[in-house]
Amino acid sequence: MRTIRLCLQHASSLKHQSQKALLLASAVGVLSLQTPGIAASYAAICSGGTECSVLLGVGKISLPSLTINKDQVFSWSQGGSGTKTDVGIGVASVVMFGLPGLIGFGAKKHDYLFTINYVDEAGNTQATTMGFKNNVPANQFMSELMGMTGLSMGETNKTLQEQINTLQAAAAEKARLAALQCAPVLKPYKCSWSQYLEANASVRAWAQKYPQMASAEKTRLLAAD
C-alpha cells in the first residue's frame, strides 16, 4: 500500500509540473505576440468615422494617409464612453497574465477613443484620432503605444518640446527663402548677392573689374542685398 501511495503522489507531482510547464509556455507565447519590431494591425475607426487599419510597430504609427514616427509623438490621451478604469485594469492584466487576462473583462459595448498629438516637420502640433468598440484591442493598443513611445497617458515628450522652437524657426526660414523673388541662380545663396560672389571666384573677379555692370546684374537678378 505504501508503494502504491508513493506512486500516486509521484504521478500527481508530474501532472502538476506538466500544468506549470504548459502555463509557462502559454505565457511565453503571449509575450512573443508583443515582440518589438513587429508591426501589429488594428481594425479601427479613424477621423471622419471611416473604418481603417492602424499599424503600430517598427517605431511608427501608420494610418491610411499618415505615418507618425515615435519621436514625433508629443502626447496621447484616451477618452470616449469606454471607462478608463477597465483599460487600466486591462493593461495590468497584460503585464501579469498576458493577453488572455484581458478577455475576462466586459465593457465590450463601450467605445474607446485615442487622440495622438504629434509634431510635424514644421514644428506645429497636429492631432489624429482612432477609435475602438471593443476593450480588448483598446487595451492592447494602449499597452503597445505606451511601450513604443515611452509615454504614459497625458505625459508630454519633453525632448520634443525642446525641439519645437528650433523646428519652427527652421520652417519659418525655409518659407521666407521660398517666398523670395530672386532669380533661380541666387536661390541656393538665399538670394544674397554677396554670398553668390563669395562662392563663385570668377564672378567675383568680374564684378570687381566691372562694378557698374555688376550692379546692373545684381538688380536684374533681384538680389536681396
Side-chain angles (χ1 to χ4, degrees):
M1 292 294 293
R2 177 180 175 81
T3 301
I4 293 174
R5 187 163 53 250
L6 290 173
C7 288
L8 290 175
Q9 290 176 349
H10 181 64
S12 177
S13 177
L14 289 175
K15 181 180 179 181
H16 182 63
Q17 291 178 4
S18 298
Q19 290 175 338
K20 288 177 64 178
L22 181 59
L23 288 172
L24 179 60
S26 299
V28 171
V30 169
L31 291 176
S32 68
L33 294 175
Q34 303 178 34
T35 302
I38 300 178
S41 179
Y42 293 88
I45 300 175
C46 292
S47 299
T50 58
E51 294 183 357
C52 65
S53 293
V54 179
L55 292 178
L56 184 63
V58 200
K60 297 179 180 179
I61 304 167
S62 300
L63 293 89
S65 59
L66 175 67
T67 297
I68 306 171
N69 292 322
K70 66 177 184 179
D71 294 335
Q72 291 179 277
V73 177
F74 185 70
S75 65
W76 64 271
S77 60
Q78 185 267 325
S81 58
T83 60
K84 295 181 177 63
T85 302
D86 287 341
V87 177
I89 293 174
V91 171
S93 298
V94 171
V95 175
M96 296 176 65
F97 306 112
L99 187 58
L102 295 174
I103 298 175
F105 292 98
K108 293 184 178 180
K109 294 181 180 179
H110 292 315
D111 291 330
Y112 297 86
L113 183 66
F114 289 88
T115 299
I116 298 177
N117 301 303
Y118 64 97
V119 177
D120 62 21
E121 294 181 354
N124 299 315
T125 302
Q126 309 287 355
T128 187
T129 60
M130 58 213 67
F132 301 93
K133 291 188 175 181
N134 190 304
N135 68 319
V136 174
N139 288 328
Q140 183 68 10
F141 180 83
M142 185 170 75
S143 178
E144 293 194 19
L145 182 62
M146 289 171 60
M148 186 182 75
T149 64
L151 301 173
S152 59
M153 184 168 60
E155 182 182 2
T156 58
N157 187 333
K158 295 181 176 60
T159 300
L160 190 56
Q161 175 69 66
E162 296 173 354
Q163 296 174 352
I164 288 178
N165 291 339
T166 301
L167 290 171
Q168 290 179 340
E173 178 63 10
K174 183 178 180 180
R176 185 187 71 81
L177 294 177
L180 293 176
Q181 300 300 316
C182 63
V185 69
L186 292 184
K187 287 285 187 180
Y189 308 100
K190 302 179 180 180
C191 292
S192 171
W193 176 256
S194 60
Q195 290 187 30
Y196 174 59
L197 295 183
E198 183 65 26
N200 296 274
S202 59
V203 178
R204 184 171 66 253
W206 169 82
Q208 291 173 348
K209 186 174 183 179
Y210 305 101
Q212 290 184 341
M213 294 178 62
S215 179
E217 181 67 2
K218 175 181 176 181
T219 300
R220 187 185 73 81
L221 297 179
L222 301 176
D225 62 4

